[in-house]
Amino acid sequence: MNRLMSWPEPVVRVQSLSENGIGTIPDRYIKPISDRPALKSEIHDHLEVPVIDLQNLFGKDPALHQETSRRISSACRDWGFFQVVNHGVSHELMKRTRAVWRDFFELPLEVKQQYANSPSTYEGYGSRLGIEKGAILDWSDYFFLNYLPVTLRNQSKWPAQPVSCRELVAKYGSQITKLCGRLLKAMSINLELKEDYLQNAFGGDEMGACLRANFYPKCPQPELTLGLSSHSDPGAITILLPDPDVAGLQVRKGGKWITVKPFPNAFIVNVGDQIQVLSNANYKSVEHRVIVNSDKDRVSLAFFYNPKSDLLIEAAKELVNEDRPALYKPMTYDEYRLYIRMNGPCGKTQIESMKSNR
């Protein structure tokens, strides 16, 4: 773990590079040709991630409830990604929280540097994932903070400027946590498990949650790099508040990339690796990445709802039988996320490495 105490080389803020008006990006950010976003043959233009109205999920009409549940189940099986509207989170709160993070990234560098992070927890202001010396880096900066469990929540590590930041993050986190709980219930029922099965299997009231505010600066050569390399999320589920003006998230489906077009006032939800393990791959996490552009900066907020870190996560017994044995070796979330903290985003190599030999 000593390797995780500090970054292997000085950290460069991507926003500073962008604002210096460079015409070409440093070699450290140039992706191998196979990973670059410019290959048109790999892009699906006609497919769109499902948009699901949650209004009827816990309403009184059983037929509408069932139809909403069916759509969630279908999206989890076929896509691993979907957008949700009428989700119960205040649109005004969404707008204000995203705006306050944009304001944070526009603060002078010396103010942001007070929150500079280390790879031991990633908490604070950062510009890289993974600790491999000489690694090819992504074109983004971020701020990462712990929200749950409450014992890890330390608001003194959250930005003191802008002055409304801490209060907005606390309110936003509370509403998103409720949404995560509702979605886990629906997923449990759809998997023919007890409605609180997933929540309890992931630690109940001791589940973890963290927020990463992402800043993707303008890039003079967006065809050569990525804002975030291809990966699947290591936790349970992720709720993303995208930038409403600039698309950037791409999802892999059928070997091609689909650019997600944000629906007004919607969240983008995706299944994490731990749901894939616990559902015995009935639901699958999906590779996704972020592209950048030369015209506009982008801000997005990713809320990760994660298992309690020291719980052993394995396939639900109800979803294992002779014909479909457990596909993955049991592992704690602490052990699992150490891989991504050391190696950065690496497609789906991590969950594939967990496959049982049976």
Side-chain angles (χ1 to χ4, degrees), residues 23-25 29-31 35-39 139 217-227 289-296:
T24 55
I25 63 173
Y29 299 92
I30 297 176
K31 302 293 180 186
D35 293 342
R36 292 177 196 172
L39 299 171
W139 192 263
K218 287 182 285 193
C219 178
Q221 295 177 297
E223 71 282 0
L224 297 181
T225 191
L226 290 167
R289 67 184 187 182
V290 176
I291 56 174
V292 290
N293 70 81
S294 55
D295 301 321
K296 289 185 176 177

Side-chain angles (χ1 to χ4, degrees), residues 51-324:
V51 179
I52 301 175
D53 187 335
L54 295 187
Q55 191 167 352
N56 298 307
L57 187 58
F58 294 103
K60 293 181 179 174
D61 186 319
L64 291 173
H65 167 87
Q66 202 165 1
E67 173 59 16
T68 307
S69 288
R70 186 197 63 74
R71 293 200 66 206
I72 292 171
S73 182
S74 172
C76 289
R77 289 177 194 275
D78 301 339
W79 283 85
F81 263 86
F82 52 99
Q83 299 194 63
V84 293
V85 295
N86 290 320
H87 38 62
V89 179
S90 154
H91 294 173
E92 182 63 22
L93 181 61
M94 293 163 70
K95 187 176 168 184
R96 289 179 64 206
T97 308
R98 187 171 45 217
V100 87
W101 281 109
R102 179 171 281 283
D103 290 345
F104 169 79
F105 287 112
E106 288 173 359
L107 289 171
L109 181 60
E110 60 269 20
V111 176
K112 293 178 289 195
Q113 284 291 102
Q114 295 170 26
Y115 302 96
N117 71 348
S118 80
S120 58
T121 66
Y122 275 85
E123 199 166 8
Y125 177 51
S127 297
R128 65 178 292 165
L129 301 167
I131 57 167
E132 183 191 337
K133 193 169 183 178
I136 297 172
L137 302 176
D138 290 332
W139 192 263
S140 56
D141 299 323
Y142 62 84
F143 195 103
F144 184 89
L145 59 86
N146 289 312
Y147 185 76
L148 290 174
V150 175
T151 50
L152 281 183
R153 189 189 304 174
N154 183 350
Q155 291 198 7
S156 68
K157 292 184 178 179
W158 301 2
Q161 293 181 54
V163 289
S164 58
C165 186
R166 291 176 179 175
E167 182 189 354
L168 283 169
V169 167
K171 285 180 180 173
Y172 181 82
S174 173
Q175 291 202 17
I176 302 295
T177 302
K178 286 175 187 166
L179 174 59
C180 290
R182 294 175 73 193
L183 289 169
L184 283 187
K185 268 187 183 175
M187 290 178 190
S188 294
I189 293 165
N190 290 337
L191 288 165
E192 298 182 3
L193 301 167
K194 291 178 181 173
E195 70 168 30
D196 56 357
Y197 186 96
L198 289 175
Q199 183 85 30
N200 288 341
F202 290 139
D205 292 339
E206 295 180 271
M207 278 190 73
C210 42
L211 177 75
R212 191 176 69 217
N214 304 301
F215 186 76
Y216 302 104
K218 287 182 285 193
C219 178
Q221 295 177 297
E223 71 282 0
L224 297 181
T225 191
L226 290 167
L228 189 55
S229 294
S230 174
H231 66 289
S232 58
D233 289 346
I237 55 175
T238 303
I239 310 284
L240 180 78
L241 177 60
D243 192 302
D245 302 318
V246 197
L249 175 67
Q250 291 188 327
V251 175
R252 197 172 181 86
K253 184 166 175 63
K256 293 199 173 187
W257 292 101
I258 295 158
T259 302
V260 180
K261 296 162 188 158
F263 199 82
N265 298 312
F267 286 109
I268 300 169
V269 179
N270 66 279
V271 171
D273 292 347
Q274 305 305 311
I275 293 263
Q276 180 167 330
V277 171
L278 212 136
S279 73
N280 210 24
N282 281 291
Y283 292 170
K284 292 185 180 71
S285 62
V286 171
E287 272 186 81
H288 51 287
R289 67 184 187 182
V290 176
I291 56 174
V292 290
N293 70 81
S294 55
D295 301 321
K296 289 185 176 177
D297 300 330
R298 287 180 60 250
V299 172
S300 68
L301 308 182
F303 189 88
F304 304 101
Y305 202 45
N306 299 327
K308 184 172 183 280
S309 60
D310 58 357
L311 272 186
L312 204 62
I313 305 297
E314 58 187 330
K317 300 287 186 282
E318 295 87 336
L319 302 176
V320 174
N321 55 45
E322 241 176 73
D323 297 329
R324 193 182 178 91

